[in-house]
Amino acid sequence: MGQKSIRLGLGDLRLISVSRSSTGWVIGAQGQDRAACPRCRTLSHSRHSFYRRRVRDLPIQGVPVLIDLKVSRWRCRNVGCEGKIFVERLPRVASAHARKSERLAEIVRLLGHAAGGRPAERLASRLGLVASRDTVLRHLKRSVSWSGGDSQLRVVGIDDWAWRKGHSYGTIVVDLERRNVVDVLPDRSAASIEAWLRNHPRIEFIARDRDGLYADGAKRGAPQAGQIADRFHIVQNLRVSIERQLSRLERPIRGAMPVASSGQDSSRDDEQRSEKPARQIRLAGRDVQQRLFHKVRSMYEDGGTASAIALELGLHRRIVGKWIRLEALPERNRMTPKDSTPSRFHIFLERRWAEGFRNVRGLLREVQVLGYTGCYSRLAAFLSAWRRPAKVENPSSEIPATFGVMPCDPDSGSAISPIVAAALCLQPRRLLTRRQLAKVEVLKEASPDFVRMRALAMQFRGVLRGGRADKLEDWIRDAKSSGVYAMQRFAQTIQRDIAAIRNAVVTPWSNGQTEGQINRLKALKRAMYGRAGAELLRARILPIATTS
Ligand SMILES: [Zn+2]
């Protein structure tokens, strides 16, 4: 086989020579004996001159390849044409000033998209592709700015994600039909989502959480689109409403009694993003933690699922999920409060408090058993914050008490906390464990209000999945006339956002998928360490356009 007959697979290029340099193969190549003028399309055979251009190409068996191109300048012989001399185009080889062939650049982009800058650099060098990390990232960013073909975009989910938890947030937009990330915005504001939506005037539905910010932005930026309240968040609102009534607190006292987020919507397949439970656990005493840990382990070994254990113990599912994979609790870090700090025994104290045990002297004895080394007055000061009535528009005394005292769990003998009771109130019967079912029976026996609450909660879940707007209207009417405070309150809340709630009932879309994409984004962000600028993060999470 003669050299001339080797095909380069690079359009019209002809092979002239092949030689080996110290860094790899050098392939001499040039174009055809004629070229078309880009202005008038007249074919020219009249070469003016050559110049040389070097382009990196795909490696041969792991050895880097450099194409030494002889590029021709041609004379245009068409007298009517304004162009006198033109340079031949090699569109299938490389773009105008590129130092990499088109096909090499694409591989580099794909590597960068899949693996990120540094791993892509290592992988590339192993494969004989010469590309530094910065080159990889540059190619990747450039490729994303091209891909704007989202004219088919019809249904989007919008949610926020944390750059730094509690400090700064960005916004993610997901195509709910194609299950793609459409865009990542560097901030979280009504104005930026409004601007983004104005550029996408064909969007028909926007799924968003209960946060008013995206609702406002969507209303202004896409007045043509219907909004969809996220079903998971609606159910969470209902749970909070029930929990408030069960604990006779209109609103938890800020900083003192965080609301634990137990009880997951069974339809939800990813984690809740609240940070509070982790903080609760951290603040709990080491001994309390240790005991909870062993409890979780033993329930897990008895065949309990993470969500069932979480519900049972009033713990966050994420913590349970983490613990069931551990053999032992990791050593505590330096940030853990000291044994002399009452907040270390926060969880324990909070539970006793909810059970109605509020005597400081008695609580002091109990936490001392758990290892508290601080003094009486410090504990008293800590607890006094819980005694202060919360300043709220609707004082807790107006909320009717459902229970005189919280009924006892028939298994453990201790009082069922309002948090657990609220979660159980929302859990369908078929998803209850035997022990949970026993608790539900006790709660129902103790209060006819709880019975009504649970019946309405189950109906509401049915309405959410049932696809019928008229059932929603019926439910709101029933809730308002039920005489159950939590349900009346919740009915009022959803009426304020009724169009979006109705869409949640009648359309199949929900933001569950968006939250899944946020988890993907977080994983990418972690893998990129400090280099994750908004632009790069966006480049890695958006689907990449390929030629094939
Ligand atoms: Zn011409």
Side-chain angles (χ1 to χ4, degrees), residues 36-43 75-84 86:
C37 168
R39 284 172 187 260
C40 66
R41 304 268 155 220
T42 307
L43 217 52
R75 288 195 179 82
C76 180
R77 294 297 192 187
N78 177 1
V79 286
C81 179
E82 283 177 22
K84 296 295 171 233
F86 64 91

Side-chain angles (χ1 to χ4, degrees), residues 119-170:
E121 180 186 39
R122 280 197 298 268
L123 201 52
S125 115
R126 181 68 187 78
L127 292 169
L129 307 162
V130 184
S132 73
R133 181 169 51 149
D134 292 317
T135 311
V136 171
L137 299 182
R138 202 174 56 242
H139 276 268
L140 184 55
K141 286 178 188 173
R142 205 185 297 151
S143 75
V144 168
S145 51
W146 303 338
S147 54
D150 42 15
S151 58
Q152 301 166 301
L153 203 55
R154 210 173 63 87
V155 186
V156 295
I158 299 175
D159 208 346
D160 60 10
W161 52 275
W163 272 113
R164 279 179 63 211
K165 193 135 255 157
H167 290 272
S168 57
Y169 291 84

Side-chain angles (χ1 to χ4, degrees), residues 210 235-245 259 426:
R210 61 199 150 165
V235 172
Q236 288 304 299
N237 281 354
L238 176 56
R239 183 181 61 75
V240 168
S241 189
I242 292 171
E243 193 178 302
R244 279 178 189 170
Q245 173 165 351
V259 178
L426 277 163

